[in-house]
Amino acid sequence: MVLRRARSEDGSCRHQLVWKAGPGWRMVSSAVLGGGIGERGWVLNAQVRAGYDRMDPDRHLAELAEAEGLRGPGVGLMTAAEVDESTWAEDNSAVALVTTGIGVPTWAAASPTTVPVPAVPAPARYVPGTINILAVVPAPLSDAGLVNLLATATEAKVQALLDAGYACSGTPSDAVCVAVRAPDARGEVDPFGGPRSLWGARLARAVHRAVLDGAELDRSRRACGPAAPHQGPRPECCRENVLPD
């Protein structure tokens, strides 16, 4: 179950997704809050304004988590993309939930003199970026297998962007979080997370589908321009679960 919550910030209503995973999960993430490898109990993906320029996003996310009543270690992600239009996919119990904004597509190995070009040319104002991926596998993996899953998810993201017609490997601010079950009393773990491993293959297909759907939604949204903001949370801003039953 992934909640959608709302808050007032910068004069507008801002939404965020919250997964209260609870105990028994290990995560690897590139997030600014709770990144690295370790036991984590929640994931927060918060939407912020386009042009966000705070230099302490980890502190900002920690404040948002505290306001949500999230306790203990967790992962905080941030995006200017519409979290309302998150996309998800499942493949044999491997699940991916993605928020997609491809405002500034770029190649990871671009020349240092390359200037990123917005996906929507000037004078358009709606150019938020960031692709945030939350991927979940209900099985225990070793540290090496967990890191390999993160790499596999990233490979699947790039494949989806190419399939969607984008000439890029992502945006400069993309983040990934992969969650797996903690080992049980026997301590048995799967050592593999590559794209041809059992869980790596499943996760890759789920991430690919969710990112592909998100890229297509993002393209349609940019053609129509940004949705009109409203000032404060409304009852319809919150949902008990953004995933299908």
Side-chain angles (χ1 to χ4, degrees):
M1 179 181 294
V2 177
L3 307 173
R4 188 177 77 197
R5 307 286 291 168
R7 68 190 193 279
S8 291
E9 188 174 280
D10 299 319
S12 296
C13 180
R14 306 290 179 192
H15 294 181
Q16 53 205 34
L17 304 180
V18 180
W19 179 40
K20 297 180 180 180
W25 291 93
R26 298 175 65 246
M27 302 184 191
V28 60
S29 180
S30 60
V32 294
L33 177 66
I37 298 179
E39 294 188 6
R40 306 284 188 268
W42 50 265
V43 178
L44 170 71
N45 188 3
Q47 184 174 343
V48 296
R49 68 181 185 276
Y52 180 88
D53 57 359
R54 281 187 59 164
M55 299 305 293
D56 60 345
D58 54 337
R59 180 176 178 181
H60 187 187
L61 285 164
E63 292 168 352
L64 296 179
E66 182 177 4
E68 285 290 342
L70 301 173
R71 299 291 182 261
V75 173
L77 307 167
M78 189 173 282
T79 181
E82 293 285 344
V83 301
D84 289 9
E85 295 188 2
S86 60
T87 53
W88 84 285
E90 180 178 3
D91 190 291
N92 290 288
S93 298
V95 178
L97 179 66
V98 177
T99 54
T100 307
I102 315 176
V104 187
T106 188
W107 291 108
S111 165
T113 60
T114 299
V115 178
V117 177
V120 179
R125 295 175 298 166
Y126 186 62
V127 293
T130 305
I131 301 168
N132 282 344
I133 299 172
L134 168 60
V136 181
V137 165
L141 273 80
S142 66
D143 281 357
L146 185 50
V147 172
N148 209 347
L149 278 181
L150 186 142
T152 297
T154 302
E155 291 176 19
K157 176 197 73 173
V158 176
Q159 182 180 343
L161 291 172
L162 296 177
D163 288 346
Y166 284 93
C168 68
S169 57
T171 83
S173 52
D174 291 354
V176 185
C177 176
V178 178
V180 300
R181 280 294 187 182
D184 60 19
R186 294 174 296 177
E188 296 178 355
V189 295
D190 190 333
F192 304 116
R196 295 285 67 85
S197 68
L198 174 66
W199 287 109
R202 294 174 177 179
L203 185 73
R205 289 189 291 266
V207 169
H208 178 271
R209 182 73 262 168
V211 173
L212 183 61
D213 289 347
E216 292 170 348
L217 265 178
D218 186 64
R219 180 182 285 118
S220 298
R221 184 168 60 243
R222 292 178 192 285
C224 299
H230 56 274
Q231 290 191 335
R234 300 170 179 172
E236 63 269 23
C237 293
C238 297
R239 289 180 58 183
E240 288 303 308
N241 191 14
V242 300
L243 302 179
D245 295 332

